[in-house]
Amino acid sequence: MFPRKDLFALPEGIVYLNGNSLGPLPKSVTPRVEAVLTQEWGKRLILGWSECRWMEQPIRVGNQVARIIGAPSGSVVMGDTLSIKIYQALAAALEMRPKRKVVLSDTGNFPSDLYIARGLLSSLDKGHELRTVAPGDIPERINAGVAAVMLTETDYRTGRRHDMESVSRAARDAGAVMIWDLAHSAGAFPVDVAGCGCEFAVGCTYKFLNGGPGAPAFIYIRPDLTERAVPALSGWLGHETPFAFEADYRPASSIERMRVGTPPVIQMTALEEAMRIWENLDMDELHSASIALSELFIAEVEARCDGLSLAGPRDPALRGSQVSFTSRHGEAVIQALANRGVIGDFRAPDTMRFGIAPLYLDETDILAAVDALEDIMSSHIRDGRLSNMP
C-alpha cells in the first residue's frame, strides 16, 4: 500500500524528511488549482462563489479533515491560521468556565500557542494565569482551578506524544475544558477526537496533510457544545444568515459559527485536492508503516553514527511520525545533509528533526539518508569538533 510516490511531485535525487514541517506537492493539485484560476475565477468571475461552490469550501473540506481526526461530519470547519483557531478555541473555553482562572499547558508546547494564550489573557484582564509545567506533570496538575488545558499532542521538537485519552479524561474529571493542537498529529497517525471526548481540537494542514504553504487551519467543536461555544471573532461568515447583512451579530447554530472572513479559495482548493489522497487510506496501516521506517532509521543511525543522541521517546507508541536526534553540531549537519539531497530540519539549540511520512518514503530513502549522515559524521567530525563541513 505504501509508499505512493507517484502521487507527489518530488524533486529527483531528494530524500524528503521534512514533511512534518511542510508536506510536498501532490501532483493533482497543480491542474486543479490551474482550473480554478483559468476556468472558474477566469471565466466565471464572481459567479464562482455560487456556481463553483466556493462559499461551501470551509465546511466541505472540514468534513475531509474530520475523517482524519476521528470527528463526525459537520463538526470541523476550515479557515484562517492555526494561531487564529487557538485564539477562538481558548476564548470559547474560558467563556464556558467563567469562575476559573488558570490555563494549563506544558513547557514543550509550540511557542506560538503560548503567545496567543498570553495575549488573550492579557486583553481579557480578568486575573487569568497561563501555567506551564513539565509534559509528564500535566495530569496531576489539572485541578478545580483550571479552566482549560491547552496542549499540542505531538511535541514539535522531539516527537513525544501526550496520551490524548488519559489527559482528556483527567481534564473532564476536573471539570476543565480540553483543547488539543493536532498540528503534528493530523495525517501522521490515527486520531480520535470524538473518542477522547475533548471539547476542542485545532490544527494546521500544510504538514502531513500536504495542503501547501499557508494552507488553512481547522477547528473542531464537540457537537453537543457547538451552540455554547461563543465565537470571540464574530466575522460575517460566522453569522447565522451572513447574506442578510443584519446590523447585529447572531452566530450560526452549527460549526460554521467559527468561520470568520472570506475563505481563501485558491489555497483551500489546493488543500481540498490534496485531501483526496486520504479518501481510501487506512490510518492504522499508515501508522504501522511509519513505525517500521522510524525504527529502521533509529537502529541504523545508532549503529553507524557516533555523536548523536535520540531526543524523543524510544517507544514508538509514545512518538509521533518524527524522529529527532541531538548533536552539538546539529545545525551544520542538517545543512550538510541538504547539500547532499537529504532534507531534514534543525531546531535550536541542538535538535535535528526528521519527519517520517510513508506516503512518499520507503526503506531505500531511509537507508540513503543514513548513508549520508554516517559519511558526514565520520568524515567531518573529529574528537567532537567540526571540520571541513561541506
Side-chain angles (χ1 to χ4, degrees):
M1 184 176 184
F2 302 107
R4 299 181 176 184
K5 292 185 180 184
D6 60 307
L7 299 179
F8 294 89
L10 290 163
E12 186 174 355
I14 293 294
V15 176
Y16 194 61
L17 299 175
N18 206 1
N20 57 323
S21 194
L22 175 66
L25 172 67
K27 290 179 180 178
S28 64
V29 166
T30 301
R32 180 69 189 99
V33 170
E34 287 179 347
V36 169
L37 292 172
T38 60
Q39 302 302 312
E40 296 184 12
W41 180 22
K43 293 185 177 180
R44 305 312 301 150
L45 300 171
I46 199 170
L47 298 178
W49 287 109
S50 56
E51 295 182 358
C52 303
R53 301 174 63 208
W54 294 343
M55 193 58 75
E56 302 168 25
Q57 275 188 315
I59 195 69
R60 189 169 70 238
V61 181
N63 285 334
Q64 291 178 303
V65 172
R67 176 183 174 273
I68 299 298
I69 65 170
S73 179
S75 64
V76 176
V77 72
M78 313 299 301
D80 319 300
T81 66
L82 178 51
S83 294
I84 295 297
K85 294 310 176 195
I86 284 284
Y87 185 98
Q88 288 182 294
L90 183 55
L94 296 178
E95 286 276 358
M96 292 177 178
R97 301 292 185 271
K99 296 182 179 180
R100 299 187 179 203
K101 299 301 180 182
V102 175
V103 175
L104 183 66
S105 190
D106 70 61
T107 53
N109 205 348
F110 191 63
S112 181
D113 292 22
L114 302 180
Y115 301 160
I116 291 292
R118 290 192 183 99
L120 171 60
L121 300 187
S122 176
S123 66
L124 290 175
D125 195 22
K126 293 182 178 179
H128 290 93
E129 171 195 355
L130 174 62
R131 187 176 298 168
T132 57
V133 301
D137 293 341
I138 285 290
E140 65 188 49
R141 300 295 291 273
I142 305 174
N143 55 44
V146 174
V149 182
M150 182 187 74
L151 298 172
T152 300
E153 184 191 9
T154 305
D155 188 296
Y156 75 102
R157 286 166 298 193
T158 67
R160 170 200 48 77
R161 286 175 61 184
H162 282 289
D163 184 328
M164 277 187 69
E165 184 175 354
S166 65
V167 174
S168 298
R169 185 186 316 116
R172 182 167 59 253
D173 290 346
V177 176
M178 186 72 236
I179 304 168
W180 286 107
D181 181 341
L182 304 177
H184 288 268
S185 303
F189 49 79
V191 177
D192 186 7
V193 295
C196 80
C198 66
E199 283 81 2
F200 296 93
V202 296
C204 58
T205 59
Y206 47 80
K207 300 180 188 295
F208 290 99
L209 295 179
N210 311 303
F218 64 84
I219 185 168
Y220 158 83
I221 304 177
R222 203 175 74 201
D224 63 301
L225 298 175
T226 301
E227 294 191 56
R228 289 181 54 196
V230 177
L233 299 172
S234 46
W236 76 294
L237 286 178
H239 195 283
E240 181 68 35
T241 55
F243 290 96
F245 301 109
E246 298 174 2
D248 296 322
Y249 181 78
R250 291 185 296 114
S253 57
S254 69
I255 185 64
E256 293 196 75
R257 64 175 46 205
M258 290 302 178
R259 293 179 66 170
V260 182
T262 305
V265 172
I266 297 170
Q267 188 64 71
M268 191 87 74
T269 297
L271 172 60
E272 184 172 19
E273 184 61 34
M275 289 300 300
R276 297 188 191 283
I277 291 173
W278 304 88
E279 288 178 355
N280 298 306
L281 191 147
D282 187 301
M283 291 302 297
D284 289 316
E285 290 184 15
L286 179 79
H287 191 209
S288 294
S290 169
I291 289 174
L293 293 177
S294 298
E295 293 294 278
L296 174 65
F297 186 62
I298 293 170
E300 291 290 322
V301 169
E302 292 188 328
R304 297 160 54 185
C305 304
D306 293 333
L308 302 181
S309 299
L310 184 66
R314 190 164 295 278
D315 182 351
L318 305 178
R319 190 176 62 234
S321 199
Q322 170 183 321
V323 174
S324 295
F325 286 93
T326 57
S327 167
R328 58 183 293 195
H329 305 299
E331 187 170 14
V333 171
I334 286 294
Q335 182 58 56
L337 283 171
N339 292 340
R340 296 168 185 236
V342 178
I343 310 298
D345 74 352
F346 175 76
R347 289 292 181 267
D350 59 3
T351 301
M352 302 185 297
R353 307 190 313 163
F354 303 95
I356 309 298
L359 280 177
Y360 48 84
L361 293 172
D362 57 23
E363 290 187 6
T364 300
D365 296 314
I366 296 299
L367 295 175
V370 179
D371 287 345
L373 185 56
E374 179 185 24
D375 183 64
I376 291 167
M377 300 302 293
S378 62
S379 302
H380 301 280
I381 297 180
R382 295 285 186 273
D383 301 319
R385 296 186 178 184
L386 187 67
S387 64
N388 300 320
M389 186 65 74

